Amino acid sequence: MRKYVTMIIAALSLASVAFATESQIWGEMRIQNILGYDKEGSTHLGPLFTMLQHQYFAWIFLGVLIGVPLAFFIHYKIIGPKVFPHSAKKYYAFNLYNRIIHQVAAVSFLVIVPTGFIIVFGDFFGGGTLVRMAKNLHGIFTIPFTIVVIPMALMWLKEALFNLDDIKWFMILGGYLSKEKKPILAGKFNAGQKMWYWVAILGGITMILSGAIMFFLDFKMQMLHDLTGLSQIDLLRAAAIIHNVMGFAVVALFITHVYMSMFAIKGAVQSIITGYVEEEVKILHSTWYKKLKDQGKF
Amino acid sequence: MMSELSKMKFYCDTNRCIECFACSVACAEAHDLPTGISRRKVITLFNGVEGKEISTSIACMHCTDAPCEQVCPVDCFYIREDGIVLHDKNRCIGCGYCLYACPFGAPQFPRDGAFGAKGAMDKCTMCAGGPLETNSVHERELYGQNRIAEGKVPMCASICSTNALLVGDAESVSAIYRKRVVGRGRGA
Ligand code: SF4
Ligand code: SF4
């Protein structure tokens, strides 16, 4: 943990050094940026960002915000939640470390996602203090997520690798389209949870980096320039596009994750709070259950 | 509706600009800009290379169909009848989107608060102030002088000793420029 804190402090102090040097946006580069804007052979990122932000991003976010919960609402009405009896048999699946890391990420997301929506629909909220506060919280709560994202990636990496069970899981969509309670092939994490793992980790890191580029604005990152061949202003445009597009995926799966743990499987959220999973894993994570049973842990 | 030609435009004649920085300094002084913000900037290319050296003065160009206005998530821009592009600093959240959309790198951001977040965007107003009451103390504090309301020419153009920096409705500006090109026989 100390290592991360040091890394963040180092990055911040580096940033202040970079600010002192010639601006990448308002310095001499500005002429090149002006002349290159939308010219043949240029990246066209300026007009592309303008078009996407002007016509699409807010609508797609609105679609995700309404569409995903609506689909789940219909699912809840037609198929309904899966309810499992509380059993005496429990297995301690998430230790304190796992739960703390997860809860830090959870709280971060609970702030980052809604504030993100307030920014996207800033117009609706009238701008000003409220939306500015949302923007600041959006940035501040990135810090705890940044601290836990690598530990979280490492602690669940093994369980999140895809395997053959997952193909079968996807073919029946995890059994969520039927009311039956037939054992479903899945390890500690099913294919859906694995998908969320990768979107939350890789998508999350992408969101952190693209967000940081926009936050620090004029912070020269030579390595990124060399790597991508993009000027600072084009990097910012690319970051804004990536941040929004990746946002669609992260938000859609975040809502899914919340629905699954809070509504679709009654009481599932308890397992990450107490650390204990109950009999329901016999059905929902049958491969894992078998393994635990063979080891005599259940 | 006004025609495209009666929209207010800036033009910097690179054949005349002598890199004296008067426009940039006058602007900063007139509007009491904080350090680090220069609404108008003079940039020289090919410094010292004979025959190639060229200087120009850049600020917000008050675009038709301004891209900044199209991307702002809080919709804080408004475009006046005469084409001057202005924004509402009390609404702005300092997200930076207008800068990414702008072809001219015009929007700038003072850092505010302990976290170094971007403050409300600042850019050239063509000396036309902002949405607050014209020539009020608040307007002046947030946006600088409103010289247009007083019938004056924007500060930068009025101080330009070589008259390189032109401002006015598009038709007059191009008429002056045409006359110059004909006069010196080059520079079109
Ligand atoms: S800020 Fe940029 S995009 Fe907006 S009007 Fe000025 S020059 Fe055009
Ligand atoms: S920085 Fe301000 S003016 Fe620019 S797009 Fe964001 S909210 Fe609008």
Side-chain angles (χ1 to χ4, degrees):
Chain A
M1 192 79 109
R2 164 115 2 122
K3 220 157 93 197
Y4 289 108
V5 177
T6 326
M7 258 163 58
I8 288 163
I9 293 171
L12 284 175
S13 49
L14 257 176
S16 54
V17 172
F19 279 133
T21 61
E22 160 82 341
S23 163
Q24 291 297 295
I25 297 168
W26 295 286
E28 257 182 49
M29 265 303 280
R30 190 159 165 191
I31 303 271
Q32 267 161 276
N33 293 341
I34 295 172
L35 295 176
Y37 194 89
D38 210 20
K39 285 284 141 56
E40 218 175 300
S42 74
T43 58
H44 301 284
L45 280 167
L48 179 68
F49 168 71
T50 305
M51 186 266 287
L52 291 173
Q53 166 65 18
H54 181 42
Q55 295 175 5
Y56 296 102
F57 285 160
W59 289 111
I60 297 175
F61 272 117
L62 188 66
V64 172
L65 184 62
I66 294 175
V68 177
L70 187 70
F72 290 138
F73 181 75
I74 294 169
H75 173 264
Y76 196 83
K77 284 281 155 212
I78 294 179
I79 308 215
K82 286 202 188 333
V83 185
F84 293 92
H86 287 289
S87 58
K89 280 188 269 172
K90 287 182 180 181
Y91 171 67
Y92 190 52
F94 303 109
N95 63 29
L96 190 63
Y97 173 75
N98 295 153
R99 283 175 285 149
I100 290 175
I101 295 283
H102 178 272
Q103 261 62 297
V104 170
V107 169
S108 310
F109 266 62
L110 285 173
V111 174
I112 293 172
V113 172
T115 51
F117 275 113
I118 295 178
I119 299 168
V120 170
F121 306 121
D123 177 12
F124 174 80
F125 292 100
T129 315
L130 173 80
V131 185
R132 213 171 295 139
M133 229 159 60
K135 188 201 75 166
N136 290 337
L137 287 174
H138 196 72
I140 291 167
F141 275 80
T142 305
I143 297 169
F145 179 64
T146 307
I147 293 169
V148 298
V149 68
I150 302 287
M152 187 160 70
L154 295 177
M155 77 189 185
W156 282 330
L157 176 65
K158 225 174 71 213
E159 285 98 349
L161 296 172
F162 285 98
N163 58 31
L164 285 179
D165 278 358
D166 300 323
I167 299 173
K168 294 189 192 122
W169 189 95
F170 271 120
M171 273 174 1
I172 55 163
L173 268 179
Y176 287 108
L177 295 184
S178 91
K179 290 183 184 183
E180 267 179 276
K181 284 187 194 164
K182 270 196 305 206
I184 289 155
L185 290 179
K188 181 168 181 172
F189 292 144
N190 63 37
Q193 290 171 302
K194 290 176 185 179
M195 210 162 71
W196 170 231
Y197 170 93
W198 291 108
V199 169
I201 300 291
L202 298 182
I205 292 172
T206 310
M207 295 303 269
I208 293 170
L209 295 178
S210 52
I213 290 176
M214 290 192 280
F215 182 87
F216 291 114
L217 201 74
D218 206 8
F219 173 35
K220 183 174 182 183
M221 284 155 293
Q222 195 57 49
M223 213 180 67
L224 263 185
H225 294 306
D226 295 345
L227 204 72
T228 58
L230 294 178
S231 63
Q232 184 75 12
I233 189 75
D234 274 345
L235 261 180
L236 285 161
R237 289 164 179 157
I241 295 172
I242 291 169
H243 202 77
N244 278 278
V245 172
M246 191 50 96
F248 305 149
V250 173
V251 163
L253 286 189
F254 174 68
I255 299 173
T256 309
H257 186 57
V258 171
Y259 173 70
M260 288 298 160
S261 61
M262 306 275 274
F263 302 100
I265 303 140
K266 279 268 143 64
V269 68
Q270 287 304 322
S271 62
I272 200 68
I273 295 172
T274 62
Y276 287 95
V277 293
E278 298 189 31
E279 196 87 343
E280 70 244 26
V281 294
K282 192 171 169 181
I283 303 290
L284 296 174
H285 301 263
S286 68
T287 315
W288 189 40
Y289 180 77
K290 251 188 232 123
K291 201 174 110 200
L292 290 176
K293 194 134 203 202
D294 289 347
Q295 293 170 349
K297 286 181 184 161
F298 225 105
Chain B
M1 225 188 101
M2 284 202 206
S3 83
E4 190 42 45
L5 289 176
S6 58
K7 300 278 180 200
M8 297 287 279
K9 291 289 170 199
F10 278 121
Y11 185 82
C12 182
D13 187 340
T14 49
N15 277 293
R16 286 183 175 227
C17 178
I18 56 167
E19 196 199 354
C20 72
F21 292 97
C23 50
S24 178
V25 174
C27 171
E29 285 305 313
H31 302 304
D32 243 328
L33 300 182
T35 33
I37 298 284
S38 41
R39 291 183 180 177
R40 182 164 282 289
K41 197 154 182 175
V42 179
I43 294 176
T44 299
L45 289 179
F46 307 112
N47 210 339
V49 184
E50 219 171 305
K52 265 189 108 179
E53 188 181 286
I54 195 168
S55 299
T56 189
S57 170
I58 308 168
C60 168
M61 296 297 275
H62 299 272
C63 309
T64 325
D65 299 325
C68 55
E69 187 263 346
Q70 296 179 28
V71 298
C72 178
V74 298
D75 235 344
C76 72
F77 288 88
Y78 61 103
I79 302 178
R80 292 173 27 142
E81 277 267 290
D82 56 8
I84 299 178
V85 179
L86 297 178
H87 73 292
D88 184 344
K89 281 193 180 181
N90 288 324
R91 226 180 139 92
C92 169
I93 59 166
C95 66
Y97 277 16
C98 48
L99 170 68
Y100 315 155
C102 175
F104 299 97
Q108 297 183 20
F109 301 89
R111 296 270 155 185
D112 77 358
F115 297 99
K118 295 187 279 290
M121 185 272 275
D122 190 279
K123 74 167 189 68
C124 158
T125 63
M126 212 182 252
C127 291
L132 296 169
E133 192 193 326
T134 301
N135 284 328
S136 63
V137 179
H138 295 299
E139 186 194 41
R140 201 192 161 95
E141 259 173 15
L142 277 182
Y143 307 95
Q145 288 185 23
N146 192 337
R147 295 169 58 89
I148 298 277
E150 294 169 2
K152 293 179 187 156
V153 174
M155 199 65 211
C156 52
S158 74
I159 206 142
C160 181
S161 59
T162 62
N163 269 346
L165 194 57
L166 302 174
V167 63
D169 62 277
E171 199 166 11
S172 327
V173 169
S174 52
I176 295 172
Y177 188 63
R178 258 198 312 275
K179 224 162 96 193
R180 283 185 190 175
V181 171
V182 172
R184 64 186 169 222
R186 68 187 166 84

